Amino acid sequence: KAGVTQTPRYLIKTRGQQVTLSCSPISGHRSVSWYQQTPGQGLQFLFEYFSETQRNKGNFPGRFSGRQFSNSRSEMNVSTLELGDSALYLCASSLSASGSSYEQYFGPGTRLTVT
Amino acid sequence: QKEVEQNSGPLSVPEGAIASLNCTYSDRGSQSFFWYRQYSGKSPELIMFIYSNGDKEDGRFTAQLNKASQYVSLLIRDSQPSDSATYLCAVRNSGGSNYKLTFGKGTLLTVNP
């Protein structure tokens, strides 16, 4: 099975711009979670989608949003970029089926640099 | 705030030794526990998960869970230089937010040849 794919892998944006990141989960996985990873804060949960519905949201401002499509692919959007948004953005997919352990598998990430 | 704490490290062990990585969590109702390995510049890779008290072994890796003490550990036997990485402990919390994982800050392990 192919793993989780994320595009683009690298991105440089200017403060105030917006950005859209894409994630395709492992085939058959219906849950997609997004995380932000920075050296200071570690891995922080952004949100999780299952069957096109957001089930959980982390403590991030409303500038961070996401969505999931009927084929389970997901996008996240960050508007009005700030310097502090520079980070590695990771997508993780999970089968999320009843009786499973809900283990998550990460994609390679998108490295966002805001200048 | 549901927290996950890991021994701060860095941890340095000689090749062939046992590396012991520790993690404690604050949410007593936590259900599943995961260990990820992250090489520098790469994304986290799932290496083990455990949800029942006791030990779970997979090759050179053993995960240990003690829910009464709210403690989970990872032992790496016969450590190899290729094991040098940051190890992240993650916990699936109880309650309404049980579809997300809370991560510790990680422990950097260096295995010296």
Side-chain angles (χ1 to χ4, degrees):
Chain A
K1 269 188 183 177
V4 180
T5 59
Q6 291 187 246
T7 56
R9 293 291 311 278
Y10 302 92
L11 208 48
I12 300 175
K13 289 286 189 178
T14 303
R15 206 168 39 172
Q17 288 186 314
Q18 72 152 19
V19 66
T20 298
L21 311 181
S22 180
C23 170
S24 291
I26 293 170
S27 178
H29 285 195
R30 296 168 64 190
S31 167
V32 173
S33 299
W34 288 90
Y35 295 85
Q36 181 196 66
Q37 187 174 35
T38 59
Q41 297 299 316
L43 264 161
Q44 293 190 288
F45 173 77
L46 282 155
F47 26 67
E48 186 257 358
Y49 287 87
F50 181 85
S51 292
E52 302 179 66
T53 300
Q54 185 183 90
R55 290 196 297 192
N56 294 112
K57 190 178 191 306
N59 296 324
F60 278 82
R63 300 184 298 107
F64 292 81
S65 63
R67 59 178 176 169
Q68 187 180 33
F69 302 95
S70 59
N71 62 357
S72 294
R73 190 178 69 86
S74 178
E75 289 182 347
M76 69 162 280
N77 183 276
V78 188
S79 62
T80 319
L81 284 165
E82 300 177 359
L83 296 178
D85 297 332
S86 295
L88 180 65
Y89 288 88
L90 292 159
C91 163
S93 84
S94 173
L95 186 59
S96 194
S98 176
S100 76
S101 297
Y102 295 90
E103 61 268 28
Q104 297 183 3
Y105 299 89
F106 284 89
T110 294
R111 173 74 62 185
L112 172 64
T113 302
V114 182
T115 62
Chain B
Q1 182 77 5
K2 298 172 181 176
E3 295 183 347
V4 177
E5 301 283 343
Q6 295 185 240
N7 43 342
S8 56
L11 177 65
S12 182
V13 300
E15 183 175 355
I18 295 176
S20 177
L21 302 157
N22 304 315
C23 176
T24 58
Y25 58 95
S26 62
D27 179 12
R28 186 169 287 278
S30 295
Q31 301 178 17
S32 305
F33 307 86
F34 306 85
W35 284 100
Y36 287 84
R37 176 176 63 198
Q38 186 172 25
Y39 292 113
S40 180
K42 301 293 186 182
S43 62
E45 172 193 9
L46 178 67
I47 53 174
M48 297 258 335
F49 65 89
I50 186 169
Y51 48 85
S52 298
N53 273 328
D55 294 0
K56 179 181 179 182
E57 187 175 315
D58 183 0
R60 295 186 297 110
F61 298 96
T62 299
Q64 299 175 316
L65 174 61
N66 184 326
K67 288 186 177 180
S69 300
Q70 295 176 240
Y71 175 91
V72 58
S73 66
L74 179 70
L75 300 178
I76 306 175
R77 291 182 301 281
D78 188 24
S79 296
Q80 301 297 309
S82 58
D83 296 326
S84 298
T86 296
Y87 288 80
L88 299 165
C89 171
V91 173
R92 179 181 162 225
N93 300 122
S94 61
S97 59
N98 63 351
Y99 301 109
K100 74 170 195 177
L101 299 183
T102 301
F103 283 81
K105 293 286 179 70
T107 300
L108 177 61
L109 170 67
T110 301
V111 181
N112 301 303

Tab-separated table of all heavy atoms in Angstrom, chain A residues 30-81:
chain	number	residue	atom	x	y	z
A	30	ARG	N	-9.903	6.533	6.701
A	30	ARG	CA	-10.909	7.582	6.591
A	30	ARG	C	-10.649	8.763	7.523
A	30	ARG	O	-11.325	9.776	7.442
A	30	ARG	CB	-12.287	6.984	6.875
A	30	ARG	CG	-12.693	5.930	5.842
A	30	ARG	CD	-13.908	5.142	6.298
A	30	ARG	NE	-15.094	5.976	6.422
A	30	ARG	CZ	-16.221	5.562	6.987
A	30	ARG	NH1	-16.304	4.361	7.492
A	30	ARG	NH2	-17.270	6.372	7.041
A	31	SER	N	-9.685	8.602	8.412
A	31	SER	CA	-9.375	9.671	9.360
A	31	SER	C	-8.073	10.345	8.957
A	31	SER	O	-7.079	9.675	8.664
A	31	SER	CB	-9.256	9.102	10.769
A	31	SER	OG	-8.678	10.054	11.655
A	32	VAL	N	-8.095	11.659	8.956
A	32	VAL	CA	-6.894	12.446	8.677
A	32	VAL	C	-6.725	13.469	9.790
A	32	VAL	O	-7.656	14.219	10.106
A	32	VAL	CB	-6.990	13.165	7.315
A	32	VAL	CG1	-5.811	14.108	7.132
A	32	VAL	CG2	-7.042	12.147	6.179
A	33	SER	N	-5.546	13.484	10.380
A	33	SER	CA	-5.213	14.466	11.420
A	33	SER	C	-4.073	15.341	10.927
A	33	SER	O	-3.216	14.895	10.165
A	33	SER	CB	-4.782	13.758	12.710
A	33	SER	OG	-5.818	12.958	13.220
A	34	TRP	N	-4.065	16.558	11.405
A	34	TRP	CA	-3.014	17.511	11.062
A	34	TRP	C	-2.299	17.958	12.340
A	34	TRP	O	-2.936	18.208	13.369
A	34	TRP	CB	-3.599	18.737	10.359
A	34	TRP	CG	-4.068	18.478	8.969
A	34	TRP	CD1	-5.311	18.085	8.581
A	34	TRP	CD2	-3.310	18.617	7.765
A	34	TRP	NE1	-5.370	17.963	7.221
A	34	TRP	CE2	-4.161	18.294	6.695
A	34	TRP	CE3	-1.994	18.990	7.488
A	34	TRP	CZ2	-3.730	18.320	5.351
A	34	TRP	CZ3	-1.569	19.021	6.168
A	34	TRP	CH2	-2.426	18.700	5.120
A	35	TYR	N	-0.982	18.086	12.241
A	35	TYR	CA	-0.155	18.517	13.363
A	35	TYR	C	0.831	19.563	12.879
A	35	TYR	O	1.265	19.558	11.725
A	35	TYR	CB	0.642	17.348	13.952
A	35	TYR	CG	-0.189	16.265	14.578
A	35	TYR	CD1	-0.732	15.236	13.811
A	35	TYR	CD2	-0.441	16.263	15.949
A	35	TYR	CE1	-1.492	14.232	14.389
A	35	TYR	CE2	-1.195	15.266	16.539
A	35	TYR	CZ	-1.714	14.258	15.747
A	35	TYR	OH	-2.472	13.264	16.325
A	36	GLN	N	1.183	20.444	13.795
A	36	GLN	CA	2.253	21.406	13.558
A	36	GLN	C	3.443	21.017	14.433
A	36	GLN	O	3.265	20.753	15.628
A	36	GLN	CB	1.789	22.816	13.931
A	36	GLN	CG	2.835	23.895	13.698
A	36	GLN	CD	2.507	25.191	14.414
A	36	GLN	OE1	2.496	25.254	15.634
A	36	GLN	NE2	2.228	26.241	13.646
A	37	GLN	N	4.615	20.969	13.856
A	37	GLN	CA	5.808	20.641	14.647
A	37	GLN	C	6.825	21.769	14.560
A	37	GLN	O	7.241	22.168	13.473
A	37	GLN	CB	6.459	19.332	14.180
A	37	GLN	CG	7.586	18.884	15.096
A	37	GLN	CD	8.148	17.527	14.733
A	37	GLN	OE1	8.223	17.172	13.574
A	37	GLN	NE2	8.536	16.757	15.746
A	38	THR	N	7.186	22.302	15.719
A	38	THR	CA	8.227	23.323	15.827
A	38	THR	C	9.228	22.879	16.874
A	38	THR	O	8.900	22.097	17.767
A	38	THR	CB	7.635	24.683	16.234
A	38	THR	OG1	6.957	24.531	17.492
A	38	THR	CG2	6.667	25.206	15.193
A	39	PRO	N	10.455	23.370	16.792
A	39	PRO	CA	11.474	22.967	17.771
A	39	PRO	C	11.075	23.302	19.208
A	39	PRO	O	11.354	22.546	20.122
A	39	PRO	CB	12.713	23.759	17.337
A	39	PRO	CG	12.514	24.012	15.883
A	39	PRO	CD	11.035	24.202	15.719
A	40	GLY	N	10.392	24.408	19.395
A	40	GLY	CA	10.063	24.836	20.748
A	40	GLY	C	8.845	24.148	21.339
A	40	GLY	O	8.820	23.801	22.518
A	41	GLN	N	7.843	23.911	20.529
A	41	GLN	CA	6.559	23.384	21.020
A	41	GLN	C	6.362	21.910	20.740
A	41	GLN	O	5.417	21.297	21.245
A	41	GLN	CB	5.405	24.173	20.404
A	41	GLN	CG	5.383	25.644	20.771
A	41	GLN	CD	5.239	25.837	22.266
A	41	GLN	OE1	4.439	25.167	22.917
A	41	GLN	NE2	6.034	26.737	22.828
A	42	GLY	N	7.212	21.330	19.917
A	42	GLY	CA	7.028	19.924	19.581
A	42	GLY	C	5.853	19.744	18.635
A	42	GLY	O	5.484	20.638	17.887
A	43	LEU	N	5.240	18.556	18.716
A	43	LEU	CA	4.104	18.222	17.859
A	43	LEU	C	2.813	18.685	18.516
A	43	LEU	O	2.468	18.223	19.599
A	43	LEU	CB	4.033	16.713	17.643
A	43	LEU	CG	4.664	16.148	16.389
A	43	LEU	CD1	4.904	14.656	16.562
A	43	LEU	CD2	3.750	16.387	15.208
A	44	GLN	N	2.078	19.549	17.838
A	44	GLN	CA	0.823	20.031	18.386
A	44	GLN	C	-0.312	19.717	17.425
A	44	GLN	O	-0.206	19.959	16.223
A	44	GLN	CB	0.918	21.533	18.632
A	44	GLN	CG	1.898	21.890	19.744
A	44	GLN	CD	1.788	23.350	20.111
A	44	GLN	OE1	2.208	24.219	19.353
A	44	GLN	NE2	1.212	23.621	21.264
A	45	PHE	N	-1.399	19.239	17.991
A	45	PHE	CA	-2.569	18.812	17.220
A	45	PHE	C	-3.338	20.017	16.703
A	45	PHE	O	-3.636	20.950	17.458
A	45	PHE	CB	-3.460	17.965	18.125
A	45	PHE	CG	-4.770	17.582	17.536
A	45	PHE	CD1	-4.867	16.560	16.596
A	45	PHE	CD2	-5.933	18.226	17.927
A	45	PHE	CE1	-6.088	16.194	16.069
A	45	PHE	CE2	-7.158	17.864	17.415
A	45	PHE	CZ	-7.234	16.857	16.486
A	46	LEU	N	-3.650	19.979	15.402
A	46	LEU	CA	-4.437	21.052	14.794
A	46	LEU	C	-5.906	20.653	14.703
A	46	LEU	O	-6.771	21.317	15.252
A	46	LEU	CB	-3.904	21.373	13.398
A	46	LEU	CG	-2.642	22.232	13.357
A	46	LEU	CD1	-1.880	21.998	12.066
A	46	LEU	CD2	-2.998	23.694	13.498
A	47	PHE	N	-6.203	19.611	13.953
A	47	PHE	CA	-7.575	19.105	13.824
A	47	PHE	C	-7.565	17.718	13.213
A	47	PHE	O	-6.558	17.266	12.669
A	47	PHE	CB	-8.486	20.033	12.991
A	47	PHE	CG	-7.797	20.906	11.988
A	47	PHE	CD1	-7.169	20.351	10.885
A	47	PHE	CD2	-7.780	22.284	12.144
A	47	PHE	CE1	-6.533	21.154	9.961
A	47	PHE	CE2	-7.145	23.107	11.223
A	47	PHE	CZ	-6.528	22.533	10.124
A	48	GLU	N	-8.716	17.073	13.313
A	48	GLU	CA	-8.889	15.730	12.790
A	48	GLU	C	-10.217	15.649	12.053
A	48	GLU	O	-11.228	16.193	12.501
A	48	GLU	CB	-8.865	14.695	13.920
A	48	GLU	CG	-8.886	13.228	13.450
A	48	GLU	CD	-10.224	12.550	13.582
A	48	GLU	OE1	-11.184	13.183	14.082
A	48	GLU	OE2	-10.329	11.366	13.208
A	49	TYR	N	-10.182	14.990	10.888
A	49	TYR	CA	-11.369	14.822	10.066
A	49	TYR	C	-11.655	13.345	9.849
A	49	TYR	O	-10.739	12.530	9.705
A	49	TYR	CB	-11.185	15.505	8.713
A	49	TYR	CG	-11.251	17.006	8.802
A	49	TYR	CD1	-10.106	17.753	9.079
A	49	TYR	CD2	-12.459	17.676	8.648
A	49	TYR	CE1	-10.163	19.127	9.196
A	49	TYR	CE2	-12.537	19.048	8.764
A	49	TYR	CZ	-11.377	19.768	9.037
A	49	TYR	OH	-11.444	21.135	9.155
A	50	PHE	N	-12.932	13.046	9.801
A	50	PHE	CA	-13.391	11.684	9.526
A	50	PHE	C	-14.671	11.799	8.717
A	50	PHE	O	-15.611	12.489	9.134
A	50	PHE	CB	-13.639	10.930	10.829
A	50	PHE	CG	-14.097	9.516	10.641
A	50	PHE	CD1	-13.181	8.502	10.457
A	50	PHE	CD2	-15.450	9.203	10.661
A	50	PHE	CE1	-13.589	7.178	10.290
A	50	PHE	CE2	-15.874	7.899	10.494
A	50	PHE	CZ	-14.944	6.890	10.301
A	51	SER	N	-14.695	11.140	7.568
A	51	SER	CA	-15.865	11.196	6.690
A	51	SER	C	-16.354	12.623	6.477
A	51	SER	O	-17.540	12.940	6.660
A	51	SER	CB	-17.005	10.335	7.275
A	51	SER	OG	-16.662	8.989	7.234
A	52	GLU	N	-15.419	13.481	6.129
A	52	GLU	CA	-15.680	14.881	5.749
A	52	GLU	C	-16.143	15.755	6.918
A	52	GLU	O	-16.523	16.913	6.702
A	52	GLU	CB	-16.722	14.945	4.619
A	52	GLU	CG	-16.301	14.177	3.376
A	52	GLU	CD	-17.354	14.226	2.278
A	52	GLU	OE1	-17.610	15.317	1.747
A	52	GLU	OE2	-17.919	13.157	1.973
A	53	THR	N	-16.076	15.246	8.153
A	53	THR	CA	-16.508	15.998	9.327
A	53	THR	C	-15.332	16.221	10.263
A	53	THR	O	-14.557	15.298	10.531
A	53	THR	CB	-17.620	15.239	10.081
A	53	THR	OG1	-18.728	15.057	9.203
A	53	THR	CG2	-18.055	16.005	11.321
A	54	GLN	N	-15.228	17.424	10.779
A	54	GLN	CA	-14.195	17.699	11.770
A	54	GLN	C	-14.654	17.171	13.116
A	54	GLN	O	-15.637	17.634	13.686
A	54	GLN	CB	-13.921	19.203	11.853
A	54	GLN	CG	-12.752	19.548	12.781
A	54	GLN	CD	-12.546	21.053	12.913
A	54	GLN	OE1	-13.117	21.713	13.778
A	54	GLN	NE2	-11.721	21.603	12.026
A	55	ARG	N	-13.904	16.216	13.670
A	55	ARG	CA	-14.303	15.618	14.947
A	55	ARG	C	-13.604	16.283	16.131
A	55	ARG	O	-14.130	16.311	17.230
A	55	ARG	CB	-13.986	14.120	14.964
A	55	ARG	CG	-14.851	13.284	14.064
A	55	ARG	CD	-14.766	11.800	14.384
A	55	ARG	NE	-13.444	11.223	14.189
A	55	ARG	CZ	-13.205	9.912	14.183
A	55	ARG	NH1	-14.195	9.076	14.351
A	55	ARG	NH2	-11.989	9.452	14.008
A	56	ASN	N	-12.392	16.742	15.902
A	56	ASN	CA	-11.630	17.354	16.990
A	56	ASN	C	-10.844	18.545	16.466
A	56	ASN	O	-10.423	18.556	15.307
A	56	ASN	CB	-10.644	16.350	17.603
A	56	ASN	CG	-11.314	15.208	18.300
A	56	ASN	OD1	-11.241	14.070	17.848
A	56	ASN	ND2	-11.999	15.488	19.389
A	57	LYS	N	-10.638	19.516	17.345
A	57	LYS	CA	-9.869	20.691	16.969
A	57	LYS	C	-8.926	21.037	18.109
A	57	LYS	O	-9.312	20.979	19.274
A	57	LYS	CB	-10.808	21.861	16.686
A	57	LYS	CG	-10.128	23.070	16.059
A	57	LYS	CD	-11.146	24.157	15.767
A	57	LYS	CE	-10.565	25.266	14.893
A	57	LYS	NZ	-9.333	25.864	15.430
A	58	GLY	N	-7.722	21.414	17.782
A	58	GLY	CA	-6.746	21.828	18.778
A	58	GLY	C	-6.864	23.313	19.079
A	58	GLY	O	-7.775	23.993	18.603
A	59	ASN	N	-5.939	23.807	19.885
A	59	ASN	CA	-5.983	25.197	20.335
A	59	ASN	C	-5.204	26.118	19.411
A	59	ASN	O	-4.184	26.694	19.794
A	59	ASN	CB	-5.448	25.302	21.765
A	59	ASN	CG	-6.319	24.560	22.735
A	59	ASN	OD1	-7.539	24.532	22.599
A	59	ASN	ND2	-5.698	23.933	23.719
A	60	PHE	N	-5.675	26.243	18.204
A	60	PHE	CA	-5.050	27.129	17.236
A	60	PHE	C	-6.071	28.190	16.826
A	60	PHE	O	-7.275	27.970	16.864
A	60	PHE	CB	-4.579	26.338	16.008
A	60	PHE	CG	-3.257	25.665	16.201
A	60	PHE	CD1	-3.171	24.451	16.863
A	60	PHE	CD2	-2.097	26.252	15.723
A	60	PHE	CE1	-1.948	23.829	17.059
A	60	PHE	CE2	-0.867	25.634	15.897
A	60	PHE	CZ	-0.798	24.418	16.572
A	61	PRO	N	-5.571	29.371	16.403
A	61	PRO	CA	-6.510	30.433	16.003
A	61	PRO	C	-7.290	30.048	14.750
A	61	PRO	O	-6.935	29.131	14.018
A	61	PRO	CB	-5.590	31.636	15.749
A	61	PRO	CG	-4.226	31.070	15.563
A	61	PRO	CD	-4.160	29.817	16.367
A	62	GLY	N	-8.357	30.812	14.515
A	62	GLY	CA	-9.242	30.533	13.394
A	62	GLY	C	-8.581	30.688	12.033
A	62	GLY	O	-9.158	30.280	11.017
A	63	ARG	N	-7.369	31.246	12.011
A	63	ARG	CA	-6.652	31.354	10.731
A	63	ARG	C	-6.313	29.970	10.161
A	63	ARG	O	-6.043	29.832	8.970
A	63	ARG	CB	-5.344	32.144	10.913
A	63	ARG	CG	-5.501	33.540	11.415
A	63	ARG	CD	-4.168	34.274	11.466
A	63	ARG	NE	-3.209	33.670	12.378
A	63	ARG	CZ	-2.135	32.972	11.994
A	63	ARG	NH1	-1.889	32.766	10.712
A	63	ARG	NH2	-1.291	32.483	12.900
A	64	PHE	N	-6.327	28.995	11.032
A	64	PHE	CA	-6.039	27.614	10.626
A	64	PHE	C	-7.370	26.896	10.394
A	64	PHE	O	-8.210	26.832	11.302
A	64	PHE	CB	-5.245	26.889	11.708
A	64	PHE	CG	-3.836	27.406	11.887
A	64	PHE	CD1	-3.606	28.553	12.647
A	64	PHE	CD2	-2.770	26.769	11.297
A	64	PHE	CE1	-2.311	29.034	12.815
A	64	PHE	CE2	-1.478	27.238	11.460
A	64	PHE	CZ	-1.246	28.379	12.212
A	65	SER	N	-7.542	26.376	9.213
A	65	SER	CA	-8.769	25.665	8.903
A	65	SER	C	-8.454	24.460	8.033
A	65	SER	O	-7.357	24.348	7.486
A	65	SER	CB	-9.762	26.584	8.185
A	65	SER	OG	-9.227	27.009	6.940
A	66	GLY	N	-9.415	23.591	7.926
A	66	GLY	CA	-9.190	22.415	7.110
A	66	GLY	C	-10.488	21.905	6.542
A	66	GLY	O	-11.580	22.415	6.834
A	67	ARG	N	-10.360	20.885	5.706
A	67	ARG	CA	-11.541	20.213	5.187
A	67	ARG	C	-11.117	18.843	4.675
A	67	ARG	O	-9.930	18.580	4.449
A	67	ARG	CB	-12.213	21.014	4.086
A	67	ARG	CG	-11.344	21.309	2.875
A	67	ARG	CD	-12.150	22.071	1.828
A	67	ARG	NE	-11.343	22.466	0.678
A	67	ARG	CZ	-11.855	22.943	-0.451
A	67	ARG	NH1	-13.160	23.094	-0.580
A	67	ARG	NH2	-11.065	23.284	-1.457
A	68	GLN	N	-12.108	18.008	4.508
A	68	GLN	CA	-11.847	16.675	3.966
A	68	GLN	C	-12.844	16.406	2.863
A	68	GLN	O	-14.028	16.765	2.973
A	68	GLN	CB	-11.961	15.610	5.057
A	68	GLN	CG	-11.532	14.217	4.597
A	68	GLN	CD	-11.658	13.168	5.676
A	68	GLN	OE1	-12.557	13.235	6.517
A	68	GLN	NE2	-10.771	12.176	5.663
A	69	PHE	N	-12.380	15.765	1.829
A	69	PHE	CA	-13.226	15.462	0.678
A	69	PHE	C	-13.777	14.037	0.768
A	69	PHE	O	-13.341	13.237	1.597
A	69	PHE	CB	-12.413	15.667	-0.603
A	69	PHE	CG	-11.860	17.070	-0.730
A	69	PHE	CD1	-10.571	17.361	-0.313
A	69	PHE	CD2	-12.641	18.100	-1.245
A	69	PHE	CE1	-10.055	18.642	-0.406
A	69	PHE	CE2	-12.136	19.376	-1.340
A	69	PHE	CZ	-10.835	19.658	-0.918
A	70	SER	N	-14.685	13.733	-0.131
A	70	SER	CA	-15.349	12.426	-0.081
A	70	SER	C	-14.376	11.270	-0.329
A	70	SER	O	-14.644	10.139	0.067
A	70	SER	CB	-16.502	12.379	-1.089
A	70	SER	OG	-16.012	12.623	-2.397
A	71	ASN	N	-13.240	11.535	-0.958
A	71	ASN	CA	-12.247	10.464	-1.182
A	71	ASN	C	-11.228	10.404	-0.044
A	71	ASN	O	-10.193	9.754	-0.173
A	71	ASN	CB	-11.532	10.680	-2.522
A	71	ASN	CG	-10.762	11.983	-2.579
A	71	ASN	OD1	-10.800	12.779	-1.628
A	71	ASN	ND2	-10.078	12.230	-3.681
A	72	SER	N	-11.518	11.092	1.052
A	72	SER	CA	-10.700	11.149	2.276
A	72	SER	C	-9.484	12.065	2.175
A	72	SER	O	-8.828	12.310	3.191
A	72	SER	CB	-10.253	9.763	2.751
A	72	SER	OG	-11.358	8.996	3.153
A	73	ARG	N	-9.185	12.558	1.009
A	73	ARG	CA	-8.105	13.548	0.906
A	73	ARG	C	-8.461	14.773	1.744
A	73	ARG	O	-9.639	15.113	1.889
A	73	ARG	CB	-7.877	13.934	-0.547
A	73	ARG	CG	-6.615	14.774	-0.793
A	73	ARG	CD	-6.445	15.063	-2.283
A	73	ARG	NE	-7.456	15.974	-2.803
A	73	ARG	CZ	-7.355	17.305	-2.759
A	73	ARG	NH1	-6.288	17.868	-2.202
A	73	ARG	NH2	-8.311	18.058	-3.270
A	74	SER	N	-7.432	15.409	2.275
A	74	SER	CA	-7.686	16.549	3.150
A	74	SER	C	-6.792	17.722	2.763
A	74	SER	O	-5.691	17.535	2.207
A	74	SER	CB	-7.430	16.157	4.605
A	74	SER	OG	-7.614	17.259	5.488
A	75	GLU	N	-7.284	18.890	3.043
A	75	GLU	CA	-6.492	20.114	2.867
A	75	GLU	C	-6.540	20.908	4.152
A	75	GLU	O	-7.535	20.860	4.884
A	75	GLU	CB	-7.061	20.976	1.726
A	75	GLU	CG	-6.852	20.420	0.346
A	75	GLU	CD	-7.402	21.339	-0.745
A	75	GLU	OE1	-8.164	22.279	-0.409
A	75	GLU	OE2	-7.083	21.098	-1.912
A	76	MET	N	-5.450	21.614	4.416
A	76	MET	CA	-5.510	22.601	5.482
A	76	MET	C	-5.078	23.947	4.907
A	76	MET	O	-4.261	24.016	3.972
A	76	MET	CB	-4.662	22.222	6.694
A	76	MET	CG	-3.177	22.249	6.507
A	76	MET	SD	-2.316	22.300	8.108
A	76	MET	CE	-2.453	24.027	8.515
A	77	ASN	N	-5.659	24.977	5.447
A	77	ASN	CA	-5.421	26.324	4.973
A	77	ASN	C	-4.985	27.208	6.141
A	77	ASN	O	-5.546	27.095	7.242
A	77	ASN	CB	-6.709	26.878	4.336
A	77	ASN	CG	-6.514	28.257	3.746
A	77	ASN	OD1	-6.593	29.253	4.445
A	77	ASN	ND2	-6.225	28.309	2.458
A	78	VAL	N	-4.014	28.033	5.879
A	78	VAL	CA	-3.612	29.024	6.879
A	78	VAL	C	-3.698	30.392	6.208
A	78	VAL	O	-3.061	30.621	5.168
A	78	VAL	CB	-2.184	28.804	7.401
A	78	VAL	CG1	-1.901	29.753	8.569
A	78	VAL	CG2	-1.973	27.361	7.824
A	79	SER	N	-4.516	31.252	6.758
A	79	SER	CA	-4.660	32.595	6.187
A	79	SER	C	-3.829	33.597	6.982
A	79	SER	O	-3.432	33.337	8.119
A	79	SER	CB	-6.135	33.005	6.198
A	79	SER	OG	-6.603	33.061	7.530
A	80	THR	N	-3.561	34.722	6.363
A	80	THR	CA	-2.820	35.807	7.008
A	80	THR	C	-1.601	35.264	7.763
A	80	THR	O	-1.488	35.364	8.984
A	80	THR	CB	-3.729	36.599	7.980
A	80	THR	OG1	-5.014	36.784	7.416
A	80	THR	CG2	-3.120	37.963	8.239
A	81	LEU	N	-0.696	34.701	7.022
A	81	LEU	CA	0.462	34.042	7.619
A	81	LEU	C	1.281	34.972	8.501
A	81	LEU	O	1.470	36.162	8.186
A	81	LEU	CB	1.359	33.474	6.516
A	81	LEU	CG	0.854	32.186	5.850
A	81	LEU	CD1	1.613	31.936	4.559
A	81	LEU	CD2	0.982	31.013	6.800
